[in-house]
Amino acid sequence: MSAAAAQSYYTQGLQREDYYTRGQEIPGRWCGLGAALLGLPDAVQRDHFIALTENRHPFSGERLTPRTRAGRTIGYDLNFHAPKGVSLLHALGNDHRILDAFRSAVEATMTDIERAVRTRVRLDGRHEDRLTGNLAWAEFIHFTARPVRGVPDPHLHAHCFAMNCTFDDVEDRWKAGQFREAVREAPYWEACFHARLADALVRIGYPVERTGTGWDLAGLDRATIEKFSARTAQIEAVAAELGIDDPVRKATLGARTRQSKKLDLSLDDLRRRWDDRLTERERETLFALVQRASSKSPPESPEPPESPSDPSDRTRNAERALAHAIEHGFERSSVLAETRLLADALRHDPGAYGIEDVHAAFERSGVLRAVLEGRPHVTTPEVLAEEESVLAFARAGRGCCPPLGAGLGSRPGAVWEIADERLSAEQRQVVERVLASRDRVQVIRGRAGVGKTTLMQEAVRGIEHGGGSVHVFAPTAEASRGTLRERGFEDADTVARLLSDPELKKRCGGSVLWIDEAGLLGIRTMKRVFDLAETIGARIILSGDTQQHAPVERGDALRLLERRAGLQPAEVRTIRRQSGSYRDAIAALASDDVERGYAILEAMGAVREVPDAQREHALAGAYLETIAAGRTALVISPTHREGERVTVMIRDRLRAAQHLGADDREFVRYRDTGWTAAQRADPRNYAEGLSIRAHQHMPGIRAGAVCAVVPSNDPGRVMVRGPDGAVCALPLRHADRFQVYAGDRIGFAAGDRIRITRNGRSKDGRHALHNGSVHRVAGLTREGDLRLENGWIVDRGFGHWSHGYVTTSHAAQGRDVDAVFIAQSGESFTASSRQQFYVSASRGRRSVTIFTDDKAHLKRAIARSGARISATELMQHAALRARALLNARLGISTRRVKKTIALHITGPPRHSESGEASQRRQRPRRPRRGWGFEHER
């Protein structure tokens, strides 16, 4: 961000003649069309580099781009890193083709990045970016990592320092570049580089294989590679000590833990030291790889051989990789950036196909494509059809049923008079709207803390008075079996239970299915609910808030219904949970006015900036003071890692106050890997130490069984050991019937609070353990099982538990307490969003306190939105954009067209409508058979 910093970086990091010695590095060279336009020589010279960092022409010394302001971006350092095994083989194998393949992959990828470079256009009232397609970058190839204990490990990597300038041939001048797209697409460019490098190595005879985090040479033992990863191990150790798992923050540790290299070590000296680390067997393995590759393609050969695989094999491999990427990506998203989908496909099986093969497969795939905000996005016909099915069901059900609250079933003429004096006029209006509705699907929109549950109780009484029945559900166990049951809905259950239990489906026939927290339902689940409702003749009421968290699975179903189905949501806006300034802050956050909401919280003193060494201590103290005063409290953190640090501090304070037992007893803990079905079906993802839990019967594995992954001689099969000790193959074709867990250890003591992380049962089978429920540990049984304060015994091998002091905002949605404390430091900023902060801050009734290390950065982090566009909106946008372009060509004014596009993307203005007004707007339709409570089978 400054010329001085760039020049220091050049001297200390890029040009290493005065830092590295005797042939450890290759002199830098200028690359790119921009470098050619500037007339730069091939070799990087210090005075040219410095001139460009100061925005001067490298030869004339004149100012290069129009503005040289303080704090301008000088340039961008793009790094390319070879896998460790490739670096090791390059260092010790003496095969120059490896370096050639690496440089070729770097150059091709940088050329692709260069073709995408743009510059701003602000002349004649225009506000757009223009493609320039030229860059000037200095390439530096390095062979080693930073030293640990004075000696570096092999590490083949490149720094491509791109200057912030590009030539605009339309305006005929140099201007600052727009690197935003290149930075945003970094994962795609990284995947392109690795695909090229892997493909090139396969072509010259080196086998490659995918690893857990990427790929590497096949045939090299992981223990061998780890011998030469001292720098990585050093940074990981420091990160673990500091409790850092964010990759961005880990990267900063690299500079903080650097050591100077010894100046008396030549590359030959280093090679001898590296060779001494190898065992005889490792040395033989390494050189066997080189000899095998050399025999297939001699180093003297001027042209690399053709790929050893048949072109048709490469095509099939690319198609399989793209199919995997589609299945993986669209499990949790309705729309993906095109480059994200392509990057996933490129990473799936490096070396089995090239970039061109994947792009050709993409063109044949039939995915639907549209440009959104200048960036290509994709969806699939299946996802689009799923959304259209949900919308069609809701549209077809408008006005086709009898009113819910009068003249229903066996109680003709029954009219419900609202008697709950707690209800405000706004809440009463919503209840009346619900009871008067003739729609098959109703939506109640309510912000956090507006009293949705209270009006829900009254509406249910009114429906039942009219002769109907209501079954209440929620997407999560905590919201259904926890919050809703506590509020009087004793039979409330999860949507998953509704969809899987035949007896429950039968009982719900002809009733109203009321789903609370419906904003957490994905489009696939919503379609299943609608299909069930059509089968059993039920009506549906969806209550929730689309401003809170979106579903984990693809599609924001409730938001799509609100905007596209033509429904008129009944809305309650007045917040009742908080009062005073706190309520004003939450109201602003609920209205997407993050800046005002944050400013109010700051003025209240609710945002505390505390340094790293003191932050968890201060939060734990405030939490314990609240609990000691007899008030309820909740601690929320966006990331598990930061939450665990707070948990450690809270438990230390509790133990010091003798509220916890003196010693922890260790238990196994299962952590959900969060894999998609596509990932679970890929045998290469499995390793010893993982466990699987079946939630449905599979061949050889019964539902509920926990099996451990064991080593397998067949790379295409995953072997597991069941509870009875028998080993069998995991049926990967049934990836939808099991989940994968990574195991670690956790300590519990008497007095601890534990949170259940998966549904289960007590050891005697008599009591249900609900996912998300929190219990207190009373002690241990003689057998080592956990005894809870309510008398239940939980088997010591249960494993699906964690400490119950800190939760994420996802798990906290639907809960309310007296005081909420939020741990949200820089470590959690990547997981922060407008929705996350709104949910977190709105849990408290009386107070909220946010603990951070950087108020300004936190404010920027929570301004980001986590809202997702639907496939329907994407394709409507594509159609409207095409129409706008056509109108522009025909000379038609685009003002009206732009307004129409904005309306289709953002939806109509959010507003509420009284029941009476809604009745006037909608003409009653003739009731259809199968709807309402008098439906016929």
Side-chain angles (χ1 to χ4, degrees):
M1 296 298 290
S2 74
Q7 292 162 20
S8 173
Y9 182 53
Y10 171 79
T11 300
Q12 299 298 323
L14 299 178
Q15 184 220 29
R16 292 184 173 178
E17 284 80 7
D18 58 347
Y19 196 70
Y20 290 77
T21 60
R22 299 199 296 231
Q24 291 184 38
E25 317 299 340
I26 296 175
R29 63 170 183 168
W30 287 108
C31 304
L33 295 175
L37 290 171
L38 288 168
L40 289 165
D42 184 60
V44 177
Q45 298 177 17
R46 180 183 177 84
D47 55 343
H48 296 158
F49 190 95
I50 288 177
L52 288 171
T53 65
E54 296 174 349
N55 197 29
R56 294 185 290 107
H57 194 284
F59 297 106
S60 69
E62 297 178 354
R63 187 170 64 186
L64 190 62
T65 68
R67 284 177 291 278
T68 308
R69 57 182 176 80
R72 76 182 187 94
T73 300
I74 306 302
Y76 293 82
D77 183 30
L78 290 81
N79 293 194
F80 298 83
H81 301 264
K84 180 58 72 173
V86 177
S87 296
L88 182 60
L89 197 68
H90 166 257
L92 296 176
N94 198 30
D95 187 347
H96 68 82
R97 297 174 305 161
I98 296 174
L99 179 60
D100 293 342
F102 175 78
R103 299 190 76 169
S104 176
V106 171
E107 182 178 9
T109 306
M110 282 300 301
T111 300
D112 283 350
I113 295 173
E114 179 183 39
R115 292 193 185 107
V117 168
R118 298 173 178 268
T119 190
R120 289 181 178 179
V121 178
R122 299 295 184 266
L123 300 177
D124 302 325
R126 287 185 291 176
H127 193 281
E128 59 190 43
D129 293 341
R130 178 185 293 134
L131 185 69
T132 58
N134 62 82
L135 271 182
W137 72 87
E139 178 198 80
F140 299 87
I141 305 292
H142 297 163
F143 298 157
T144 56
R146 290 281 174 172
V148 176
R149 294 181 294 277
V151 179
D153 284 329
H155 182 199
L156 177 59
H157 63 287
H159 292 264
C160 295
F161 192 93
M163 295 295 175
N164 187 16
C165 60
T166 186
F167 188 75
D168 185 346
D169 56 2
V170 175
E171 298 181 24
D172 194 29
R173 61 174 179 166
W174 288 92
K175 297 166 62 179
Q178 279 286 70
F179 284 80
R180 182 178 58 209
E181 290 298 316
V183 172
R184 184 168 63 178
E185 304 294 2
Y188 171 69
W189 303 123
E190 181 182 45
C192 288
F193 160 72
H194 282 288
R196 288 186 170 108
L197 179 56
D199 193 33
L201 290 174
V202 169
R203 287 176 181 274
I204 62 176
Y206 289 103
V208 303
E209 63 181 359
R210 210 186 72 183
T211 64
T213 56
W215 65 277
D216 212 326
L217 290 175
L220 285 181
D221 189 84
R222 296 308 305 172
T224 305
I225 291 174
E226 288 168 5
K227 282 185 180 181
F228 298 89
S229 305
R231 178 66 175 153
T232 300
Q234 181 191 40
I235 293 175
E236 290 292 340
V238 174
E241 183 180 343
L242 298 176
I244 295 173
D245 62 354
D246 176 51
V248 176
R249 297 190 72 194
K250 278 186 183 179
T252 66
L253 295 178
R256 291 164 55 184
T257 58
R258 283 178 179 169
Q259 298 179 18
S260 297
K261 283 194 172 183
K262 289 187 175 181
L263 301 181
D264 58 346
L265 291 177
S266 68
L267 192 55
D268 288 338
D269 292 331
L270 287 173
R271 282 175 175 154
R272 282 192 292 271
R273 288 177 178 241
W274 294 333
D275 186 72
D276 288 342
R277 295 188 204 172
L278 297 173
T279 65
E280 190 60 36
R281 181 183 175 186
E282 289 172 334
R283 195 175 291 112
E284 290 174 358
T285 300
L286 192 70
F287 288 100
L289 285 171
V290 178
Q291 290 174 353
R292 192 180 307 121
S294 299
S295 66
K296 293 182 179 179
S297 176
E300 302 81 31
S301 177
E303 296 293 332
E306 290 299 317
S307 172
S309 58
D310 186 88
S312 60
D313 290 339
R314 293 169 65 86
T315 298
R316 284 192 293 270
N317 292 339
E319 288 175 346
R320 280 196 294 266
L322 184 64
H324 178 276
I326 289 173
E327 183 183 0
H328 167 66
F330 288 107
E331 179 171 321
R332 295 173 184 167
S333 299
S334 296
V335 174
L336 294 173
E338 182 180 303
T339 50
R340 177 186 161 185
L341 182 67
L342 292 171
D344 285 344
L346 289 170
R347 285 191 290 260
H348 181 62
D349 200 0
Y353 44 79
I355 293 176
E356 297 77 11
D357 301 309
V358 170
H359 280 269
F362 174 78
E363 293 299 327
R364 297 189 299 268
S365 66
V367 298
L368 305 175
R369 186 175 184 270
V371 176
L372 186 65
E373 297 179 351
R375 192 183 188 196
H377 286 70
V378 293
T379 188
T380 69
E382 293 76 17
V383 173
L384 186 62
E386 192 175 63
E387 292 183 358
E388 288 299 330
S389 173
V390 167
L391 291 173
F393 178 89
R395 288 168 182 156
R398 288 181 296 182
C400 72
C401 304
L404 279 174
L408 303 179
S410 61
R411 302 288 298 278
V415 178
W416 179 250
E417 294 183 3
I418 297 174
D420 192 338
E421 296 180 354
R422 296 175 300 168
L423 295 181
S424 66
E426 185 182 43
Q427 290 173 308
R428 288 170 178 267
Q429 189 179 64
V430 171
V431 172
E432 291 168 355
R433 172 97 172 266
V434 168
L435 298 179
S437 174
R438 294 177 175 271
D439 290 346
R440 184 166 44 186
V441 178
Q442 289 190 70
V443 174
I444 300 175
R445 180 195 295 149
R447 299 170 174 176
V450 296
K452 292 191 296 292
T453 309
T454 305
L455 69 87
M456 179 179 173
Q457 293 167 334
E458 187 69 17
V460 168
R461 286 193 289 267
I463 294 171
E464 292 173 345
H465 179 77
S469 63
V470 182
H471 294 268
V472 179
F473 302 93
T476 67
E478 177 66 13
S480 58
R481 297 163 185 158
T483 303
L484 287 173
R485 290 187 181 182
E486 290 172 2
R487 303 293 174 81
F489 300 101
E490 296 179 357
D491 295 325
D493 218 318
T494 62
V495 175
R497 170 83 187 284
L498 168 67
L499 296 174
S500 62
D501 188 331
E503 287 299 319
L504 181 56
K505 292 178 184 178
K506 188 175 180 179
R507 289 200 302 272
C508 291
S511 68
V512 174
L513 307 179
W514 191 311
I515 301 178
D516 194 29
E517 298 292 348
L520 293 175
L521 285 186
I523 198 71
R524 188 183 308 176
T525 301
M526 189 70 81
K527 182 179 184 302
R528 292 180 64 194
V529 170
F530 284 5
D531 289 346
L532 173 64
E534 186 163 22
T535 301
I536 65 175
R539 293 171 69 171
I540 297 171
I541 299 176
L542 304 169
S543 58
D545 182 8
T546 56
Q547 297 299 96
Q548 298 188 51
H549 279 301
V552 174
E553 67 174 328
R554 71 164 173 252
D556 302 353
L558 185 62
R559 186 180 66 86
L560 181 68
L561 287 168
E562 286 186 2
R563 296 187 175 185
R564 304 290 168 206
L567 304 177
Q568 291 295 323
E571 185 167 13
V572 54
R573 289 173 170 267
T574 304
I575 296 173
R576 301 164 67 87
R577 180 179 296 163
Q578 296 90 16
S579 60
S581 296
Y582 189 10
R583 178 170 57 191
D584 294 341
I586 299 304
L589 294 174
S591 302
D592 282 347
D593 192 347
V594 176
E595 188 160 344
R596 179 170 176 268
Y598 187 81
I600 296 173
L601 290 173
E602 268 202 299
M604 291 166 49
V607 185
R608 295 182 56 184
E609 187 173 282
V610 186
D612 284 348
Q614 306 165 27
R615 191 170 52 258
E616 288 84 11
H617 189 274
L619 192 156
Y623 170 76
L624 293 178
E625 285 178 12
T626 302
I627 296 297
R631 297 195 299 271
T632 57
L634 184 66
V635 182
I636 299 175
S637 178
T639 59
H640 291 293
R641 186 74 181 197
E642 184 165 10
E644 286 177 356
R645 291 207 311 275
V646 176
T647 293
V648 169
M649 183 58 66
I650 290 175
R651 295 184 77 239
D652 286 347
R653 296 285 295 270
L654 287 171
R655 183 165 278 129
Q658 297 184 346
H659 294 309
L660 281 188
D663 299 316
D664 282 349
R665 178 71 63 88
E666 277 202 345
F667 296 86
V668 66
R669 172 172 56 175
Y670 297 122
R671 290 180 178 270
D672 193 339
T673 59
W675 289 354
T676 62
Q679 290 173 310
R680 296 195 296 274
D682 190 342
R684 296 171 300 180
N685 289 330
Y686 291 84
E688 193 174 5
L690 294 175
S691 300
I692 71 101
R693 184 185 184 104
H695 48 78
Q696 292 184 45
H697 292 307
M698 298 182 290
I701 302 174
R702 296 187 60 80
V706 177
C707 305
V709 176
V710 297
S712 171
N713 295 325
D714 184 350
R717 300 176 74 195
V718 177
M719 305 303 294
V720 294
R721 178 179 288 110
D724 59 356
V727 174
C728 67
L730 180 64
L732 298 177
R733 67 184 182 278
H734 295 304
D736 59 331
R737 300 187 184 183
F738 64 87
Q739 191 53 273
V740 183
Y741 296 89
D744 62 4
R745 309 292 292 181
I746 188 170
F748 293 125
D752 249 328
R753 288 166 60 86
I754 68 167
R755 175 176 291 104
I756 303 301
T757 58
R758 182 187 172 95
N759 292 340
R761 302 199 73 81
S762 59
K763 190 170 183 176
D764 59 11
R766 296 168 55 192
H767 308 288
L769 300 170
H770 298 310
N771 181 19
S773 61
V774 177
H775 303 270
R776 189 174 297 279
V777 177
L780 300 174
T781 66
R782 189 173 301 172
E783 293 78 17
D785 299 320
L786 277 180
R787 186 174 69 254
L788 304 183
E789 200 171 50
N790 58 10
W792 300 356
I793 305 298
V794 184
D795 190 279
R796 61 183 180 276
F798 177 67
H800 297 282
W801 43 33
S802 66
H803 292 116
Y805 302 101
V806 185
T807 186
T808 62
S809 54
H810 279 276
Q813 185 162 322
R815 296 184 60 185
D816 61 276
V817 291
D818 291 328
V820 62
F821 302 95
I822 304 172
Q824 198 159 349
S825 69
E827 184 175 4
S828 297
F829 287 165
T830 54
S832 301
S833 70
R834 188 185 310 162
Q835 290 78 8
Q836 166 271 317
F837 190 73
Y838 166 47
V839 172
S840 300
S842 60
R843 297 306 96 195
R845 291 187 290 264
R846 299 173 60 177
S847 67
V848 58
T849 311
I850 302 103
F851 291 82
T852 186
D853 57 349
D854 189 334
K855 288 183 178 182
H857 197 167
L858 172 63
K859 184 178 177 180
R860 292 193 297 271
I862 64 174
R864 295 191 298 264
S865 174
R868 305 177 296 187
I869 188 173
S870 68
T872 302
E873 291 167 327
L874 180 71
M875 300 318 297
Q876 286 178 343
H877 174 70
L880 288 167
R881 185 171 183 271
R883 188 183 304 170
L885 292 174
L886 178 61
N887 288 342
R889 289 184 179 181
L890 296 175
I892 300 173
S893 171
T894 60
R895 170 181 283 183
R896 183 178 61 184
V897 176
K898 288 180 178 178
K899 185 176 181 181
T900 304
I901 291 175
L903 181 65
H904 274 74
I905 293 302
T906 62
R910 292 176 59 148
H911 64 278
S912 59
E913 186 175 16
S914 69
E916 183 180 355
S918 175
Q919 295 261 345
R920 287 198 305 267
R921 263 185 26 84
Q922 300 179 12
R923 291 182 302 172
R925 302 181 185 178
R926 185 175 54 147
R928 300 182 181 181
R929 288 184 59 188
W931 297 106
F933 299 106
E934 69 275 63
H935 74 280
E936 299 177 12
R937 293 301 180 95

